[in-house]
Amino acid sequence: MRMRFKPYAGPELAACPFHMNLATQYKGHWRETFARPEQPLHLELGCGKGGFLSQLASRHPDINYIGVDITDKVLILAKRNIERVYAEKGLAVDNVKTLSHDIERIPTLLDENDAVSRIYINFCNPWNKKAGHKKHRLTHTRQLLMYRSFLTDDAEIWFKCDDEDLFNDTLEYLPEAGFEVVWQTRDLHADEPEWNIRTEHEQMFTMIGIPTKALIARKAALPENAPEPPCVPDIPAVR
């Protein structure tokens, strides 16, 4: 279902203290934007309406979080969800940021100085309609190679999806890009870990009987035959 244009989204996000406008200007300096810059930095790619991010970040005030999505139409909902959850818990919104960015151009947003130690990818677009579209998957080898540039040496990727083909292909993409799968399941809810936070899509697919596939992969050495990451022209910072 397509989301309607929300004319109020832009102005409301622009006035939000934790939504980062002109986000590429912070490349290499993301830690400095948080109240506690010494804390670990985690990243959710495709944060959508913020249901997962709001719960995760409010549970872990000792970790800083960045939520990325491409459209204001969902980020405005993420902003409101974060404000609501933090208010319910009596917390200040000081360990989470949201921003709009094309994830296929992620090297223009972060670099090695940002030192991200975990990426969350939940129920991303499987891009299954045409074989040539698979390169747009957030877990495709070309994307994983780009993530390496800003991940710490022991960083992890936490991935969940409903799509069997996407999950199987991701298990092939990860070693190609120098990531080792350290845990996986094809039915997350059969013995659900206490750390799991069910996303909106996760709840929906569970209700219709589609099990959630999940894995954790850790950054390792690049294989000798690893392809080169795609070249993404930098975007000049606006200050």
Side-chain angles (χ1 to χ4, degrees):
M1 183 175 66
R2 297 184 65 182
M3 298 189 69
R4 294 179 179 177
F5 172 65
K6 296 179 172 62
Y8 54 83
E12 187 172 329
L13 288 171
C16 174
F18 61 84
H19 181 78
M20 309 304 283
N21 300 287
L22 302 174
T24 55
Q25 69 180 304
Y26 302 106
K27 178 180 175 179
H29 301 279
W30 277 104
R31 290 175 172 274
E32 300 164 28
T33 68
F34 289 91
R36 296 174 293 281
E38 73 282 357
Q39 295 186 163
L41 180 59
H42 292 183
L43 176 69
E44 186 186 5
L45 298 179
C47 65
K49 299 176 184 177
F52 175 82
L53 181 62
S54 60
Q55 294 294 333
L56 180 69
S58 63
R59 285 188 189 183
H60 302 284
D62 57 332
I63 297 172
N64 294 329
Y65 293 89
I66 298 175
V68 183
D69 213 293
I70 199 167
T71 173
D72 288 355
K73 291 184 290 187
V74 294
L75 286 169
I76 186 62
L77 300 176
K79 177 251 186 192
R80 293 179 176 184
N81 274 325
I82 291 167
E83 289 175 333
R84 175 182 57 80
V85 170
Y86 273 70
E88 289 172 353
K89 296 184 178 183
L91 298 172
V93 186
D94 61 4
N95 72 319
V96 61
K97 309 288 185 185
T98 62
L99 60 93
S100 175
H101 197 74
D102 180 358
I103 296 170
E104 292 191 49
R105 297 179 58 81
I106 198 75
T108 64
L109 184 69
L110 298 132
D111 68 17
E112 67 276 6
N113 295 311
D114 296 308
V116 174
S117 55
R118 184 177 297 174
I119 292 176
Y120 292 94
I121 303 173
N122 296 317
F123 297 87
C124 60
N125 188 340
W127 291 96
N128 280 337
K129 292 184 178 180
K130 296 181 180 180
H133 288 176
K134 290 185 178 182
K135 66 182 180 180
H136 299 296
R137 290 171 165 176
L138 298 188
T139 60
H140 193 276
T141 306
R142 70 192 291 271
Q143 288 293 127
L144 295 170
L145 289 167
M146 288 193 285
Y147 305 154
R148 292 183 65 91
S149 67
F150 55 80
L151 290 175
T152 60
D153 289 342
D154 58 348
E156 295 178 335
I157 294 176
W158 290 39
F159 172 61
K160 295 195 288 188
C161 73
D162 63 294
D163 190 275
E164 191 78 26
D165 289 339
L166 173 60
F167 190 74
N168 290 336
D169 289 347
T170 298
L171 289 172
E172 295 183 9
Y173 300 147
L174 286 161
E176 291 176 351
F179 290 87
E180 176 189 6
V181 177
V182 296
W183 178 85
Q184 64 171 294
T185 178
R186 292 181 182 270
D187 189 352
L188 181 60
H189 302 160
D191 186 16
E192 189 169 4
E194 64 178 17
W195 46 255
N196 187 49
I197 297 172
R198 296 193 182 191
T199 72
E200 182 181 13
H201 283 93
E202 190 171 346
Q203 298 277 28
M204 178 183 68
F205 288 120
T206 298
M207 288 179 63
I208 60 176
I210 299 176
T212 294
K213 276 67 74 172
L215 63 79
I216 298 173
R218 186 169 296 138
K219 185 180 178 183
L222 267 175
E224 291 185 2
N225 60 345
E228 290 291 324
C231 180
V232 179
D234 209 350
I235 300 173
V238 178
R239 295 190 182 275

